[in-house]
Amino acid sequence: MNKRVLVVSTTGMGDCLWGTPGIRALRKTFPEMEIDLVVSRSWKSLFDFNPHLNQIFEYSGQWYRQPFLGIKLLGRPYDVIYLFHANRNFKRMLPWLPSVPIWSHQKHDWIPESHRMKIDADVHGIQKRLIMMEKFGVKPDGGQMEIFFDQATIDRSQKLLESHGFSPGKYVYLNLGAAVEGRRWMVERFSELASRILNATSCNIILGGGLNEKKRAVTILNQLNTSRAMEVCSQPLMVNADIISQAGFMVTSDTGPMHIAFAVRAPVVSLFGTIPPAGSGPYEIPDHLCRVITIDPEGKDSVDEKNPGEFHLRCITVDRVWEQVEQMLAEKSSS
């Protein structure tokens, strides 16, 4: 049996969180094994308190930072490396990992073909990792993603909510951001949706999505002009994650914070563009915790592509989202 393994997950937030069921299964199957993780520095805080990990190393795509990581890895010899999901430039780390077998479900040409798992491209990302782990005797433990919080983060988010008079379960978290512009729903539509929620319900509004969304959030706040709305774009990632965990529900496009909501089991209305939800959407999430809205393929072709930030999600109207929001609110009130 391997005594020390390295899991590598260096891409997007969702890609990294998809690895948590595999890490949990690995720990439960082999409780004495040392499990280390290399993860993108932007998402490391999502794993800091994961009890299934022994050590966590930050990965940076900048070549001049990578030797520092390489020296750390060289000091902890591994029996095997599982590439859950990695950028192509992770190849630069190979000199620091001599003679260590690397297994992957990706098609990187710097991994021997004999060590590349052939898995159907349409399979969900979580399942791909679990299938790879099963090849090495790991017993599946379900597909539920996990995030673990420290008390300092919980206290900080609670203090922030209390300072604005917001109560758990009594606010809607609107995630304004996305990894690429084409996955962002438009500001004016978020603003209109927020207005409807404020007018038709007693729910408050929290606008989030990271520092890059601060300007969008302020624009919406100015339009709403109410103390029942606040923004948390400047707050740390884990504070946002804890706030999401306490939301009545969340409205978001297909992006990292959507997977945070799935991990903490917050109800979600998810907006998908051209990427189908089968491979990257909800996985083993009950229907009452997720409503998926996809674009209208017929309407997509009639959109003016001179506006690249809108040409996919413009097909999703506020009315379509509001319909799902109403249904989710009705189910919550009757439960």
Side-chain angles (χ1 to χ4, degrees):
M1 185 189 75
N2 298 314
K3 296 180 180 179
R4 181 181 291 157
V5 303
L6 180 66
V7 173
V8 176
S9 195
T10 61
T11 51
M13 184 193 300
D15 293 321
C16 293
L17 286 173
W18 289 347
T20 56
I23 292 170
R24 180 180 65 247
L26 189 60
R27 170 61 68 204
K28 287 191 173 184
T29 304
F30 304 112
E32 303 303 319
M33 180 183 291
E34 290 189 54
I35 306 171
D36 292 353
L37 173 70
V38 170
V39 67
S40 299
R41 61 189 307 180
S42 299
W43 321 131
K44 179 177 176 292
S45 60
L46 293 170
F47 296 85
D48 278 339
F49 297 93
N50 189 313
H52 309 307
L53 295 168
N54 291 89
Q55 289 202 36
I56 305 172
F57 300 101
E58 292 184 3
Y59 178 81
S60 172
Q62 299 166 316
W63 67 267
Y64 54 86
R65 294 181 181 272
Q66 292 171 352
F68 297 100
L69 171 60
I71 292 171
K72 294 178 181 178
L73 297 180
L74 192 62
R76 283 179 66 79
Y78 294 99
D79 297 294
V80 65
I81 296 173
Y82 297 127
L83 212 68
F84 275 13
H85 212 257
N87 314 77
R88 181 169 293 275
N89 66 15
F90 189 78
K91 180 181 179 181
R92 299 185 191 131
M93 302 306 302
L94 296 185
W96 305 98
L97 301 163
S99 305
V100 183
I102 301 176
W103 291 88
S104 174
H105 60 82
Q106 294 177 277
K107 298 179 180 179
H108 294 306
D109 55 13
W110 42 270
I111 296 176
E113 188 171 356
S114 60
H115 284 55
R116 297 180 223 158
M117 300 287 184
K118 294 178 174 60
I119 301 175
D120 187 348
D122 294 331
V123 172
H124 194 283
I126 292 175
Q127 194 175 1
K128 288 180 180 178
R129 291 150 176 79
L130 294 175
I131 291 172
M132 184 169 69
M133 291 289 91
E134 282 189 78
K135 300 288 185 181
F136 300 94
V138 176
K139 300 175 183 178
D141 189 54
Q144 177 62 44
M145 293 179 285
E146 295 178 305
I147 298 175
F148 298 89
F149 296 94
D150 65 304
Q151 192 59 49
T153 294
I154 295 171
D155 292 345
R156 180 169 177 174
S157 62
Q158 187 62 37
K159 184 177 180 180
L160 180 63
L161 292 173
E162 289 177 352
S163 69
H164 287 78
F166 285 21
S167 301
K170 301 298 184 182
Y171 58 84
V172 179
Y173 189 107
L174 303 182
N175 174 49
L176 309 179
V180 295
E181 189 64 27
R183 294 190 192 181
R184 286 178 172 169
W185 207 38
M186 292 73 75
V187 169
E188 63 270 21
R189 296 195 182 177
F190 269 120
S191 183
E192 182 181 342
L193 177 65
S195 293
R196 292 195 191 188
I197 293 171
L198 292 171
N199 291 332
T201 77
S202 60
C203 294
N204 295 321
I205 297 291
I206 292 184
L207 305 171
L211 282 172
N212 292 336
E213 316 312 324
K214 178 87 171 185
K215 183 177 179 180
R216 290 162 60 95
V218 170
T219 297
I220 295 173
L221 286 179
N222 289 337
Q223 293 171 351
L224 297 176
N225 191 27
T226 174
S227 60
R228 290 176 58 198
M230 63 179 285
E231 62 89 11
V232 293
C233 297
S234 302
Q235 295 297 321
L237 176 58
M238 286 297 285
V239 171
N240 265 278
D242 190 50
I243 290 173
I244 290 170
S245 76
Q246 301 179 69
F249 64 92
M250 176 188 198
V251 179
T252 177
S253 60
D254 168 27
T255 189
M258 176 186 72
H259 299 290
I260 288 178
F262 293 154
V264 299
R265 299 185 70 80
V268 186
V269 176
S270 303
L271 317 183
F272 279 79
T274 55
I275 298 177
S280 62
Y283 181 75
E284 295 186 358
I285 302 295
D287 291 343
H288 73 279
L289 289 179
C290 184
R291 300 301 179 93
V292 172
I293 300 175
T294 57
I295 63 172
D296 176 5
E298 295 182 2
K300 180 182 62 174
D301 296 332
S302 64
V303 175
D304 180 6
E305 297 196 13
K306 292 182 179 180
N307 297 299
E310 303 180 355
F311 71 97
H312 294 320
L313 292 185
R314 192 188 299 176
C315 302
I316 298 178
T317 64
V318 176
D319 285 340
R320 289 185 65 193
V321 178
W322 177 245
E323 180 182 1
Q324 297 302 320
V325 167
E326 284 189 308
Q327 291 181 18
M328 188 165 280
L329 287 170
E331 289 181 2
K332 284 177 67 68
S333 63
S334 62
S335 60

